[in-house]
Amino acid sequence: MSRPSETGDGDQTALTASQAIQRLEASVQRLEQSERLQRALFAIADMAASELDMQSLLQGLHGSIAQLMYAENFYIALYDPQRRTVRFIYFADLMDGQLYGPDEEFTAEQLCDTITLRLIHHGQAMRGTSDGVALSLGLDRGRAVGTPSVDFMGVPMRRDGQVFGVLVVQSYEEGKGYTQSDQNVLVFVAEHVLNAVERKLGQEALERRVAERTSELASANARLREQVREREQAAHLQATLYRIAALGQGRDSSEAFYRSIHEVISELLVAESFCIALLSDDGQWLDFPYYVDSSGAELVRRPLGRGMSEYAIRCARTVRLEAEEINALIAQGEVDATTYGNPAVSWLGAPLVGAQGAMGLVVVQSYRQDLHYTPQDADLLTFVSYQIANTLQRRQQDVALQALNAQLEQRVLVRTQELRTQIVVREQVQQQLRHQLMHDPLTELPNRLYLRDRLERALRTQQRHPEHRFALLYLDVDRFKLFNDGLGHLVGDAVLREVAARMADCVRAPDVVGRLSGDEFAILLENCPQPSSACQVAQRVLSRMAETARVGERTLHVSVSIGIAMSHPGYQTVDQVLHDADTALYRAKAAGRQRFILFDGKLHASAMNVLDLEQQMRAALETGQFMPYFQPIVRLPDAGIAGYETLIRWQHPERGLLGPGAFLPAAEETGLIEAIDWHLYRLACQAAQRFLGDQGVLNINISPRHFHSRNFPRRLLDMLAQTRIAAHQLCVEVTESTLLSNPDAAGKILDSLHEAGVRIALDDFGTGYSSLSHVHRFPLSTLKIDRAFIEPLGLGGQQRSSAIVSAVLSLARSLDLTVVAEGVETPTQRDALQAMGCAYAQGFLFGKPAPADHWPPTASLSG
């Protein structure tokens, strides 16, 4: 009875063993698949880091994927999300061949009905027949591109959640398809393929940039070589002239002298046929003391006639002729063919001009068809001819001296006197050169080099004798740019000369007055034991400058600002003294000009404070502590808001809310103003979208530094486009001092903005020096009357302000300009402006500057 039971147990055991074998086989297959995948990933990483070109890399990627699954038909498509374009950088297909080129770029519109673009937008892996995938992606298969496949599998290539392309494999044969496992593998591989391709693309881009830079460097090297060649040629020419000059001082025979001249010229140009011709003393004969002719022709003394040499002497300039031109001269009768001799292919002659006129000429000519003289050769021969003429004159003078040997004693006395005169003149010239080296040619004052030398000596003296003290006064002419640009450089030079003369009147020897550069001067008081002495000199200079100056037909008022640095043991270099005096000068100008400031510890601390403030402002930019405030600009007739002016505030973490006066001067000084402005402009445009509406206008203030950037208009318009503010809704405000700083650059930038539709407002109108010229010169749309003219309205003695405001309004109406009155704080001022016909105003009466969320939304600006 036990036998059947044993049989059943055996079957069960066999079944269990079979299942175990199957599991082991499946596990082996998975391990093999994992090993293939690992090898493929290693291969992809190796290829990405290799020196393979792009196509070799892509072929290697194809081979690696083919080891993992059936991939006879395979392509890689890259997608550019910014440009919305697709490139099939690799395409291998048994049915469709090379359907797409690797360098072809397709727009999204061109591929709108393709599985590839739909798969990119779908962002998920797809598998199935191509018709089924197309149907799942919402495509009409009848309009599809390429041969339908039996099995299709595509996976997106992602990075940071965004699709940058797809990998696609497909099969046209039954039995060769893809499983979910293949899909998982391809999804896993896709990211590695994307990394490898992007790395190779980046490498190729870098190589292109390196190649371009190499080409640029090669071009620069070629230019440098050309410059070196030109300098070597110039040096060679200079050496040649020296050699010719030296020949005149020798005692060689005339034949040796002329032969040496020939050898020297042969180093500069081809002189196979060469001659020197000289006129006789009476000018009737032409002698040829030296000639070499490759054709064998002989040149003998002849009466002055109509030969080629005589033609060049008559022209009184260097003559370069070719055979055709020579024949034309013969036909015209300018040259006698019988006198001319053997015909030359190219002929070049330069007159030898002495103190009494032409004394002869030097000639080179060619009988060879491959040798023609160029204009550069003519310039060289002309230049050399001057030195030859000078040398010949010296030799002739030597001959004359030798001929007058009988009168040697008298001539020696005369010559001695001449030499003494020349020595005196030479000494005077040397003294003048030393003076020119150490003095300013315009004012005749000592220059920076001279002053630094004196300062250096004063420092050394103080180091040896600490009780000896000196002072340096650093001066700058106030508003000199206005004189120079507004009245012309001649007036500016006259002003500098007048300032120099007045300063010289204020000091005595051994004190030094010098001009450092431009409108900057300095006074060195070498014996100045007390600061009060330096202050007395500074006050004397200010008082002297207060007197009116007569320049041409103009009466000008010139003033200076002065910074004073007293010597002390801490000074080790001249630059330290100049720096402290310059710091004091800067403070004097900032304090209102026409004054002097003595450098002390407070100024040093102030300079350090500026450095601290600079660091705080940089941190404020990084952490967003600057914020825009807005003040309304209202229409006086209906009290409606027409727009807003943007004003900056700093939410300081320690000092609280700061107005612009607390930090903008330091921002201008340190150059941070541009970065702060751009930060403010963007914040203002973004915030203004809530309350500006379609008709409102946003005003922003422009720093003078922006007019040094030609890219400013393009950058501003790009920012408007990004923040969706129309160009006609932006008004840039500039001050008259800003326009004066660089009127040409400002005009170009404002013209560009005006052409784009941006409005231009002249701020603080009436406070500058040439307001009317600005209205005429620049493309203004708005004048903002300065608050100084608005404040007296409604008070006693307002007639003058009323007259000025009325005149501005009349001017604006005639020029079709908008006028905004600034600083309106009382109803009386508002009523007075409205009575005069002013349409717009701005001030505390209508609203103080406040953040964006304080102002009403868009609807309040309508109408």
Side-chain angles (χ1 to χ4, degrees):
M1 295 297 293
S2 61
R3 193 176 299 275
S5 175
E6 292 175 357
T7 303
D9 291 341
D11 293 340
Q12 183 65 33
T13 302
L15 179 60
T16 302
S18 176
Q19 292 174 345
I21 292 172
Q22 290 177 356
R23 287 194 299 271
L24 288 173
E25 289 176 348
S27 176
V28 169
Q29 290 177 354
R30 286 193 300 272
L31 289 173
E32 291 176 348
Q33 178 70 8
S34 297
E35 184 178 357
R36 288 197 299 273
L37 177 60
Q38 190 69 29
R39 286 199 302 270
L41 294 179
F42 282 144
I44 291 172
D46 289 342
M47 286 186 287
S50 69
E51 299 297 327
L52 294 174
D53 59 25
M54 177 57 79
Q55 283 304 309
S56 299
L57 171 67
L58 295 174
Q59 290 171 0
L61 293 176
H62 184 183
S64 297
I65 292 174
Q67 294 176 7
L68 303 175
M69 63 191 71
Y70 176 72
E72 289 291 334
N73 309 292
F74 169 75
Y75 68 84
I76 302 174
L78 290 184
Y79 177 64
D80 187 339
Q82 299 295 327
R83 303 175 59 214
R84 298 182 68 247
T85 58
V86 177
R87 274 202 310 137
F88 294 87
I89 61 171
Y90 186 79
F91 195 95
D93 195 281
L94 297 176
M95 301 298 292
D96 294 331
Q98 191 67 27
L99 186 60
Y100 302 107
D103 296 325
E104 292 183 87
E105 190 171 50
F106 300 91
T107 64
E109 290 74 13
Q110 291 175 302
L111 300 178
C112 62
D113 292 329
T114 63
I115 292 178
T116 301
L117 186 62
R118 291 295 180 92
L119 184 59
I120 290 171
H121 289 162
H122 180 63
Q124 300 295 328
M126 299 289 291
R127 180 167 54 87
T129 65
S130 58
D131 290 341
V133 171
L135 185 61
S136 299
L137 295 174
L139 284 172
D140 180 3
R141 187 54 195 170
R143 301 176 61 185
V145 179
T147 305
S149 59
V150 173
D151 203 356
F152 175 96
M153 183 168 64
V155 300
M157 294 188 291
R158 293 174 171 274
R159 186 179 67 252
D160 298 330
Q162 189 169 6
V163 177
F164 289 91
V166 292
L167 293 181
V168 173
V169 293
Q170 50 188 333
S171 170
Y172 300 104
E173 299 179 30
E174 294 290 346
K176 292 183 178 180
Y178 306 104
T179 65
Q180 180 63 41
S181 175
D182 293 333
Q183 179 176 316
N184 295 339
V185 169
L186 195 59
V187 168
F188 186 71
V189 170
E191 181 179 353
H192 296 274
V193 172
L194 177 61
N195 290 336
V197 169
E198 288 187 337
R199 181 172 180 179
K200 183 57 67 176
L201 288 173
Q203 180 181 349
E204 290 184 345
L206 177 62
E207 290 174 352
R208 284 195 301 272
R209 290 195 296 272
V210 169
E212 293 171 358
R213 183 58 179 160
T214 301
S215 177
E216 293 173 358
L217 291 175
S219 300
N221 185 45
R223 290 193 298 271
L224 288 174
R225 288 178 180 272
E226 179 63 21
Q227 293 175 3
V228 170
R229 187 193 65 78
E230 292 176 355
R231 291 181 181 179
E232 289 177 346
Q233 186 177 23
H236 186 197
L237 176 60
Q238 189 66 40
T240 300
L241 296 179
Y242 286 148
R243 288 175 59 189
I244 293 175
L247 290 174
Q249 300 172 0
R251 290 292 179 264
D252 296 337
S253 65
S254 296
E255 177 69 19
F257 167 72
Y258 292 130
R259 186 182 305 108
S260 299
I261 293 291
H262 184 194
E263 292 173 354
V264 170
I265 291 179
S266 296
E267 295 179 6
L268 297 176
L269 45 82
V270 178
E272 297 172 349
S273 297
F274 171 84
C275 77
I276 292 178
L278 298 178
L279 288 171
S280 61
D281 292 339
D282 59 5
Q284 300 300 314
W285 292 82
L286 193 64
D287 292 315
F288 298 90
Y290 181 85
Y291 69 89
V292 173
D293 194 281
S294 60
S295 70
E298 294 185 2
L299 300 177
V300 297
R301 188 173 192 263
R302 66 171 185 246
L304 208 63
R306 304 194 72 80
M308 286 294 298
S309 300
E310 291 91 330
Y311 174 75
I313 293 174
R314 288 199 305 273
C315 291
R317 58 177 174 81
T318 300
V319 175
R320 182 179 64 88
L321 297 171
E322 297 298 303
E324 298 80 3
E325 296 170 305
I326 296 173
N327 292 333
L329 290 175
I330 293 174
Q332 295 168 8
E334 290 288 345
V335 174
D336 185 353
T338 59
T339 308
Y340 171 43
N342 294 334
V345 173
S346 185
W347 191 93
L348 179 61
L352 301 174
V353 180
Q356 305 301 322
M359 54 188 296
L361 80 162
V362 57
V363 176
V364 292
Q365 56 186 335
S366 166
Y367 300 103
R368 293 162 31 193
Q369 293 296 331
D370 61 340
L371 176 58
H372 296 266
Y373 295 109
T374 66
Q376 290 76 18
D377 296 332
D379 292 340
L380 275 175
L381 191 61
T382 302
F383 202 55
V384 172
S385 69
Y386 299 148
Q387 190 63 50
I388 295 175
N390 291 335
T391 304
L392 282 173
Q393 283 186 312
R394 285 198 297 270
R395 288 183 64 87
Q396 290 173 353
Q397 291 170 0
D398 291 342
V399 171
L401 287 173
Q402 293 173 4
L404 297 175
N405 220 5
Q407 304 175 7
L408 180 59
E409 291 185 6
Q410 183 62 29
R411 295 299 303 273
V412 166
L413 292 176
V414 173
R415 187 58 179 162
T416 301
Q417 185 61 39
E418 290 177 354
L419 289 175
R420 286 175 179 170
T421 302
Q422 290 178 4
I423 290 172
V424 171
V425 170
R426 181 176 298 175
E427 290 175 348
Q428 292 174 347
V429 169
Q430 291 175 345
Q431 184 176 1
Q432 183 178 4
L433 288 175
R434 285 194 297 270
H435 183 273
Q436 291 175 353
L437 178 64
M438 304 295 283
H439 287 75
D440 171 49
L442 176 64
T443 62
E444 293 297 324
L445 292 178
N447 57 17
R448 179 182 289 271
L449 184 64
Y450 183 94
L451 189 68
R452 288 183 67 92
D453 179 67
R454 291 290 292 269
L455 267 173
E456 190 70 45
R457 282 189 280 174
L459 273 176
R460 289 198 298 267
T461 300
Q462 185 195 39
Q463 291 166 357
R464 291 193 304 270
H465 308 285
E467 71 281 0
H468 179 83
R469 301 190 67 188
F470 64 89
L472 178 67
L473 280 64
Y474 207 130
L475 301 91
D476 181 271
V477 181
D478 298 331
R479 301 181 296 116
F480 176 71
K481 186 173 179 60
L482 178 63
F483 298 130
N484 213 34
D485 295 345
L487 302 178
H489 294 290
L490 293 179
V491 173
D493 290 346
V495 168
L496 293 177
R497 285 193 292 268
E498 181 66 21
V499 168
R502 294 187 180 190
M503 289 172 56
D505 292 342
C506 297
V507 299
R508 60 180 181 273
D511 300 334
V512 180
V513 178
R515 182 187 179 200
L516 300 181
S517 64
D519 60 337
E520 295 182 350
F521 296 84
I523 298 176
L524 174 62
L525 306 178
E526 292 197 353
N527 185 15
C528 186
Q530 298 296 330
S532 58
S533 301
C535 294
Q536 290 175 0
V537 174
Q539 187 59 55
R540 193 157 61 239
V541 172
L542 293 176
S543 300
R544 185 72 175 88
M545 294 300 171
E547 303 171 11
T548 58
R550 188 72 179 173
V551 179
E553 298 180 356
R554 296 179 180 273
T555 299
L556 302 178
H557 295 273
V558 183
S559 64
V560 297
S561 300
I562 307 174
I564 306 173
M566 292 295 301
S567 64
H568 61 77
Y571 285 140
Q572 299 298 320
T573 66
V574 170
D575 289 331
Q576 290 176 325
V577 183
L578 289 171
H579 175 270
D580 288 353
D582 185 45
T583 300
L585 170 62
Y586 176 81
R587 297 303 177 192
K589 295 183 75 68
R593 300 188 176 94
Q594 200 172 354
R595 66 194 64 220
F596 65 86
I597 296 255
L598 181 66
F599 183 86
D600 57 13
K602 292 182 179 179
L603 285 183
H604 179 73
S606 176
M608 297 304 295
N609 288 339
V610 170
L611 294 176
D612 292 340
L613 188 57
E614 178 183 1
Q615 297 302 319
Q616 293 176 17
M617 287 189 292
R618 292 186 186 277
L621 273 173
E622 295 176 359
T623 57
Q625 297 173 17
F626 295 112
M627 60 183 64
Y629 270 46
F630 302 91
Q631 185 176 33
I633 300 172
V634 303
R635 296 184 297 272
L636 288 179
D638 61 2
I641 297 178
Y644 296 87
E645 179 178 357
T646 306
L647 303 168
I648 190 170
R649 296 293 185 269
W650 181 2
Q651 189 61 54
H652 196 282
E654 299 174 0
R655 299 167 60 187
L657 189 65
L658 302 181
F663 58 90
L664 281 189
E668 288 278 4
E669 181 181 350
T670 58
L672 284 174
I673 187 66
E674 290 184 80
I676 293 175
D677 275 353
W678 283 114
H679 176 74
L680 179 70
Y681 296 161
R682 182 169 294 277
L683 291 180
C685 289
Q686 291 171 347
Q689 295 175 6
R690 187 183 71 87
F691 56 77
L692 199 60
D694 297 332
Q695 303 299 324
V697 177
L698 181 67
N699 287 32
I700 61 174
N701 291 280
I702 304 301
S703 166
R705 284 182 174 270
H706 291 297
F707 290 110
H708 297 294
S709 173
R710 290 182 293 179
N711 191 42
F712 176 74
R714 182 72 267 157
R715 185 176 177 184
L716 184 62
L717 294 173
D718 289 344
M719 187 197 69
L720 290 179
Q722 294 166 7
T723 56
R724 287 180 274 194
I725 298 291
H728 71 273
Q729 290 187 272
L730 183 72
C731 179
V732 298
E733 296 188 15
V734 294
T735 63
E736 297 184 58
S737 59
T738 297
L739 298 179
L740 275 174
S741 64
N742 195 345
D744 293 334
K748 293 178 181 178
I749 288 177
L750 293 181
D751 286 340
S752 298
L753 292 174
H754 176 69
E755 291 172 2
V758 175
R759 308 183 191 197
I760 314 297
L762 182 57
D763 199 9
D764 302 334
F765 181 74
T767 61
Y769 301 99
S770 53
S771 300
L772 294 180
S773 67
H774 296 154
V775 174
H776 172 73
R777 180 173 184 179
F778 301 102
L780 303 176
S781 60
T782 303
L783 301 179
K784 300 192 74 175
I785 304 177
D786 186 74
R787 65 178 61 247
F789 303 113
I790 306 302
E791 184 177 357
L793 296 181
L795 304 175
Q798 67 174 355
Q799 293 83 355
R800 185 176 182 85
S801 293
S802 298
I804 293 175
V805 173
S806 297
V808 173
L809 291 170
S810 177
L811 171 67
R813 280 192 291 270
S814 65
L815 297 176
D816 194 23
L817 299 177
T818 302
V819 174
V820 177
E822 294 186 297
V824 179
E825 299 182 357
T826 66
T828 304
Q829 294 170 344
R830 176 198 61 198
D831 297 340
L833 288 168
Q834 195 165 0
M836 284 186 282
C838 182
Y840 299 92
Q842 175 183 353
F844 285 2
L845 179 64
F846 310 108
K848 295 183 179 180
D853 55 11
H854 174 80
W855 300 109
T858 302
S860 297
L861 290 178
S862 61

